[in-house]
Amino acid sequence: MNFFLLPSNNLNQLLKNFSKGAKIFYPFSENGKSHIIEYNPEHNFEPDFSKIRTAQNIKNFFFPARGIVARFPAKIELRSNPIVLMGVKNCDLRGIEVYDRVFLKWQPVDHIYKERRDNIIIISADCPEPHDTCFCNFVGLKPYPEGISDLNITVVKSGYLFEVFSEKGQNLIDENKGLFIEAESESINERNNLRKSAIEKLENINKKRIKEKVYELVEKADKRTIREARDECVECFSCLHCCPTCYCFLLSDYKKGDDIERVRVWDACYYAAYARVGGGANPRSRIDERFWNRFQCKFNYFYQYEKFFACSGCGRCFVGCSAKIDIREILNKI
Amino acid sequence: MNPYEPILTKIKKIIPETPTITTFVLDGKPIEFEAGQFAELTVLGVGEAPFTPSSSPYAKDLEFTIMKVGRVTQKLFELKEGDTVGVRGPFGKPYPLKEFKKKDVFIVGGGVGFAPLRSLFLALVENIKDYKKIYIRYGARTPKDIVYKYLLPEWQKIKNVDILLTVDVGDEEWKGRVGVVTTILDEIPVDIKTTPAIVCGPPLMMKFTTQRLVDAGFKDSNIYLSMEKNMSCGIGKCNHCRVGRFYVCKDGPVLTWKDVKDIEDPFL
Ligand SMILES: Cc1cc2nc3c(=O)[nH]c(=O)nc-3n(C[C@H](O)[C@H](O)[C@H](O)COP(=O)(O)OP(=O)(O)OC[C@H]3O[C@@H](n4cnc5c(N)ncnc54)[C@H](O)[C@@H]3O)c2cc1C
Ligand code: SF4
Ligand code: SF4
Ligand code: SF4
Ligand code: FES
């Protein structure tokens, strides 16, 4: 393993150096919640890498809520600005893993996504203090990253312990060699203890794991169970748009001067028109069917393709839900 | 290649088929395809919708036979010869024609569902010696709603082709069969155990035809069904077309009864 220690005092200089070639985004916390903000050397907003995932998800960086995917007759230029995205938590890395499968692994490659993805350096961070809305362990994830990102940060007493996961990450360290010192075993031991305690906290929050062969249970769930599960749902759709692992979209065309722009916008399977076909027939005309489609999508179909769940346990859907519907409870009941 | 960008081409010819169905012949052949695959057709500034070509994959033009049903198709019907449209594709999997070799092929169509079947039929006819006999069973609402009327007499003449039509409601001139398409499925003169049956039409017609074919003894894996689902991307990314674990745009648009029979109401 490849570790480097950044003394706390050097963080500002590191950000300054990064900002020469890229825009930097990092979590900033206020009243106990953290938000993503853009680095600005004039403001003195300290990054906070120790809180849980930010309130908003990071999907927008990779796959914007509204983005142009084609222009015709004139062509679009594939170009995106370099970004360093810092403090990404493991649950949000799972989101990125989902987009990578859909847009890069599944053929054909989505060049629009690839262009953005290639230009984002991801620096993830551990979660030493999981909240009771966190259930990454329930769906089989750890509260700290073990890959996907380029670098990972654990906040330790003597500074920021960086672990390298990719060549891009190693290059960043090499370019800023003077700011880092050798990581002593003390910091690494400290990291191990922090991680152990984070896992213990999570196990107290989520005493159960997702059931074995949950995909079969989801597939076979009877109408009454589904009805009961969605009973309180007020169809606000917040659970889908705040979700880091939802990736549905819709293409629409708009005239722009002499050209037509094809725009991709986030969509969600809870909208009544989502599956409707020409002439008006709709395979999921009832909210029960649409509600359950989300469970099928995340815990059955996506699992069948990629052998992991398209749910990271980030808990945003629960926090944002008008009816406080908790996925864990539904999955425990079926 | 940007998979979201259409190839622009012009409408060469417009052939009205029925009061609500029209064939659009495109200029040149912007995309190559195999029978069963589909494409997204762009009406400039309006949007896209998925259609299966109705022309032979071997023909030098690309044709679509389209029913006017809503937003995009309405605007398409306002276009004239010489106007520009966009095409994106081909998408999905073709019919497994290799597996049909040396067998009878039993084709059942309803309404505008005859469009994709025409492409298949013409592909089969191109190598007709490879197959035993090709059967077409087609049902339309009224005699006025029959597509390709002007082609049918020619097709009837082809050796080893057997065509039977029916209409739900006849008129004074109609001398043929009257009744929904399942009424002409009583006599199926093929070796049912080995014959592939290919079905395309409106949801209810698909449902009852499939039931009939299953009852007659066709194997679930030999019943090929065109699934009409909502589509946006056509390339297995946007999630719209999914039915069960299948992406209709990628794994389909033709799935077998074996694939979809456990799905509740697969034709809806
Ligand atoms: C593989 C495949 C092959 C097909 N082949 C043929 C064929 O050969 N011939 C044929 O006639 N038909 C064919 N169809 C059916 C054809 O695609 C539909 O009739 C067509 O999509 C109707 O489009 P429309 O916009 O005119 O209808 P609409 O009813 O207006 O819309 C169709 C769908 O688009 C959605 N929609 C409409 N407007 C909007 C909007 N503003 N924003 C977002 N969503 C909107 C609707 O919710 C609906 O789900 C095929 C379908 C598939 C899937
Ligand atoms: S379903 Fe909920 S918990 Fe799972 S990834 Fe989406 S927002 Fe997070
Ligand atoms: S189908 Fe529904 S649950 Fe699945 S990604 Fe799309 S919006 Fe999310
Ligand atoms: S956030 Fe809650 S109430 Fe809103 S659509 Fe989702 S489950 Fe229903
Ligand atoms: S149409 Fe987008 S996934 Fe099939």
Side-chain angles (χ1 to χ4, degrees):
Chain A
M1 274 187 257
N2 217 349
F3 291 107
F4 298 88
L5 188 77
L6 182 80
S8 306
N9 290 338
N10 288 355
L11 179 66
N12 254 326
Q13 190 55 47
L14 185 72
L15 294 179
K16 220 173 251 162
N17 293 358
F18 282 171
S19 72
K20 281 176 196 144
K23 286 185 173 199
I24 306 172
F25 294 87
Y26 59 76
F28 165 71
S29 66
E30 209 175 17
N31 305 326
K33 268 195 185 160
S34 73
H35 305 273
I36 304 167
I37 61 168
E38 188 179 343
Y39 168 73
N40 181 336
E42 321 249 291
H43 303 152
N44 222 352
F45 293 135
E46 281 276 318
D48 183 347
F49 298 121
S50 298
K51 294 280 181 302
I52 63 162
R53 91 267 174 314
T54 49
Q56 73 268 52
N57 70 40
I58 54 159
K59 178 156 74 174
N60 222 346
F61 288 99
F62 295 83
F63 168 32
R66 185 184 193 281
I68 297 170
V69 292
R71 182 182 294 126
F72 44 92
K75 311 265 181 238
I76 48 166
E77 233 179 287
L78 275 185
R79 204 188 42 191
S80 69
N81 300 319
I83 285 174
V84 179
L85 194 56
M86 301 182 78
V88 180
K89 301 294 163 165
N90 205 26
C91 50
D92 282 346
L93 293 181
R94 170 52 52 95
I96 297 169
E97 223 177 342
V98 170
Y99 326 140
D100 281 355
R101 300 296 164 112
V102 174
F103 296 119
L104 300 179
K105 181 184 159 202
W106 298 0
Q107 296 298 312
V109 169
D110 184 315
H111 300 282
I112 313 291
Y113 175 81
K114 186 171 189 305
E115 170 65 22
R116 277 182 178 273
R117 176 74 170 90
D118 286 347
N119 269 303
I120 301 177
I121 288 174
I122 307 165
I123 303 181
S124 55
D126 285 22
C127 298
E129 296 283 345
H131 278 203
D132 55 7
T133 54
C134 297
F135 58 96
C136 49
N137 67 331
F138 179 79
V139 293
L141 282 176
K142 302 228 169 75
Y144 49 84
E146 295 174 299
I148 310 288
S149 54
D150 298 297
L151 292 168
N152 184 65
I153 296 175
T154 312
V155 183
V156 290
K157 284 193 200 82
S158 49
Y160 302 93
L161 183 63
F162 278 69
E163 186 179 357
V164 180
F165 288 143
S166 78
E167 206 183 308
K168 262 191 202 173
Q170 185 62 55
N171 290 343
L172 272 193
I173 301 276
D174 292 345
E175 284 159 19
N176 296 282
K177 204 93 212 181
L179 297 177
F180 290 91
I181 57 175
E182 202 182 316
E184 0 64 90
S185 58
E186 203 182 309
S187 302
I188 297 170
N189 285 340
E190 190 184 341
R191 181 178 94 146
N192 293 342
N193 290 333
L194 285 168
R195 288 183 164 188
K196 231 185 355 214
S197 111
I199 288 185
E200 274 162 23
K201 279 175 197 145
L202 267 172
E203 304 219 302
N204 273 324
I205 297 165
N206 305 291
K207 298 209 165 63
K208 289 184 184 158
R209 288 292 150 85
I210 198 163
K211 291 183 183 172
E212 285 228 3
K213 299 203 174 160
V214 72
Y215 43 92
E216 279 178 11
L217 302 174
V218 167
E219 175 128 20
K220 289 192 190 119
D222 59 51
K223 291 201 162 123
R224 223 187 95 207
T225 313
I226 296 171
R227 211 204 139 79
E228 273 168 18
R230 78 106 201 121
D231 204 31
E232 312 262 283
C233 171
V234 297
E235 300 179 55
C236 68
F237 309 144
S238 128
C239 52
L240 302 172
H241 289 307
C242 71
C243 174
T245 53
C246 276
Y247 57 86
C248 281
F249 64 84
L250 186 71
L251 301 173
S252 340
D253 291 0
Y254 298 92
K255 280 202 179 106
K256 186 101 185 257
D258 291 336
D259 288 326
I260 287 149
E261 282 182 350
R262 181 152 289 165
V263 174
R264 156 156 77 192
V265 289
W266 291 353
D267 200 359
C269 62
Y270 281 13
Y271 289 105
Y274 177 92
R276 196 167 67 207
V277 298
N282 190 344
R284 291 195 289 275
S285 58
R286 286 171 303 155
I287 179 64
D288 287 24
E289 293 155 343
R290 297 200 292 278
F291 185 85
W292 204 245
N293 183 65
R294 168 168 164 236
F295 288 79
Q296 292 270 28
C297 171
K298 294 183 174 305
F299 300 101
N300 182 14
Y301 306 137
F302 192 85
Y303 183 86
Q304 291 197 35
Y305 309 134
E306 295 297 343
K307 295 292 170 269
F308 62 83
F309 301 117
C311 167
S312 65
C314 73
R316 287 186 182 94
C317 55
F318 170 62
V319 174
C321 178
S322 312
K324 287 285 164 280
I325 294 175
D326 189 332
I327 281 195
R328 286 171 289 191
E329 280 176 22
I330 293 173
L331 293 177
N332 282 337
K333 263 191 222 152
I334 57 167
Chain B
M1 252 288 284
N2 178 353
Y4 299 108
E5 188 188 302
I7 298 169
L8 300 182
T9 185
K10 290 202 162 40
I11 300 176
K12 187 157 119 187
K13 201 163 172 223
I14 293 177
I15 309 167
E17 301 280 350
T18 79
T20 54
I21 300 173
T22 293
T23 295
F24 296 85
V25 185
L26 304 189
D27 202 11
K29 205 172 183 190
I31 58 163
E32 293 293 335
F33 71 99
E34 288 177 59
Q37 291 185 298
F38 72 99
E40 289 275 352
L41 194 65
T42 302
V43 179
L44 296 191
V46 178
E48 288 186 307
F51 302 98
T52 305
S54 53
S55 49
S56 164
Y58 299 97
K60 60 182 197 314
D61 287 325
L62 182 66
E63 296 179 29
F64 294 93
T65 301
I66 293 172
M67 182 153 90
K68 181 157 78 170
V69 296
R71 202 176 63 91
V72 173
T73 47
Q74 217 128 39
K75 290 287 176 195
L76 181 67
F77 272 60
E78 290 169 16
L79 298 183
K80 293 182 284 301
E81 288 173 2
D83 285 348
T84 301
V85 290
V87 184
R88 204 154 65 81
F91 299 134
K93 293 208 176 98
Y95 286 104
L97 294 192
K98 271 202 197 105
E99 290 173 25
F100 299 175
K101 285 201 172 154
K102 301 204 168 68
K103 294 177 186 163
D104 288 323
V105 182
F106 196 73
I107 299 173
V108 191
V112 75
F114 204 7
L117 297 177
R118 181 176 88 157
S119 167
L120 168 70
F121 173 71
L122 295 173
L124 293 169
V125 165
E126 191 78 22
N127 301 301
I128 191 127
K129 287 197 197 78
D130 290 351
Y131 313 95
K132 266 165 79 183
K133 198 160 178 178
I134 299 163
Y135 295 85
I136 293 182
R137 298 293 178 262
Y138 175 59
R141 235 162 20 91
T142 73
K144 280 195 194 62
D145 295 306
I146 296 175
V147 292
Y148 315 131
K149 262 186 281 235
Y150 51 100
L151 293 171
L152 288 167
E154 244 175 81
W155 294 353
Q156 302 266 24
K157 281 185 226 149
I158 305 173
K159 200 173 157 244
N160 286 336
V161 169
D162 175 332
I163 302 179
L164 191 56
L165 308 183
T166 182
V167 294
D168 298 356
V169 189
D171 59 18
E172 300 92 74
E173 280 159 50
W174 181 252
K175 304 246 165 20
R177 306 276 283 253
V178 177
V180 294
V181 75
T182 42
T183 60
I184 54 169
L185 298 181
D186 285 342
E187 326 99 64
I188 303 179
V190 300
D191 175 11
I192 285 177
K193 289 227 159 51
T194 60
T195 302
I198 292 116
V199 190
C200 184
L204 272 182
M205 173 268 172
M206 300 271 291
K207 186 171 169 175
F208 290 115
T209 302
T210 304
Q211 195 53 55
R212 195 52 161 271
L213 295 171
V214 171
D215 292 346
F218 281 88
K219 266 170 61 185
D220 292 348
S221 56
N222 274 342
I223 302 175
Y224 295 87
L225 304 160
S226 295
M227 307 300 293
E228 190 193 334
K229 295 291 159 205
N230 182 307
M231 287 189 181
S232 188
C233 71
I235 50 174
K237 314 259 183 239
C238 75
N239 244 342
H240 276 265
C241 66
R242 215 189 40 221
V243 45
R245 67 186 164 84
F246 297 104
Y247 284 101
V248 172
C249 68
K250 212 165 66 171
D251 307 313
V254 175
L255 296 173
T256 67
W257 179 238
K258 187 175 172 228
D259 294 333
V260 299
K261 68 176 182 180
D262 291 332
I263 297 164
E264 197 190 342
D265 242 332
F267 301 119
L268 229 187

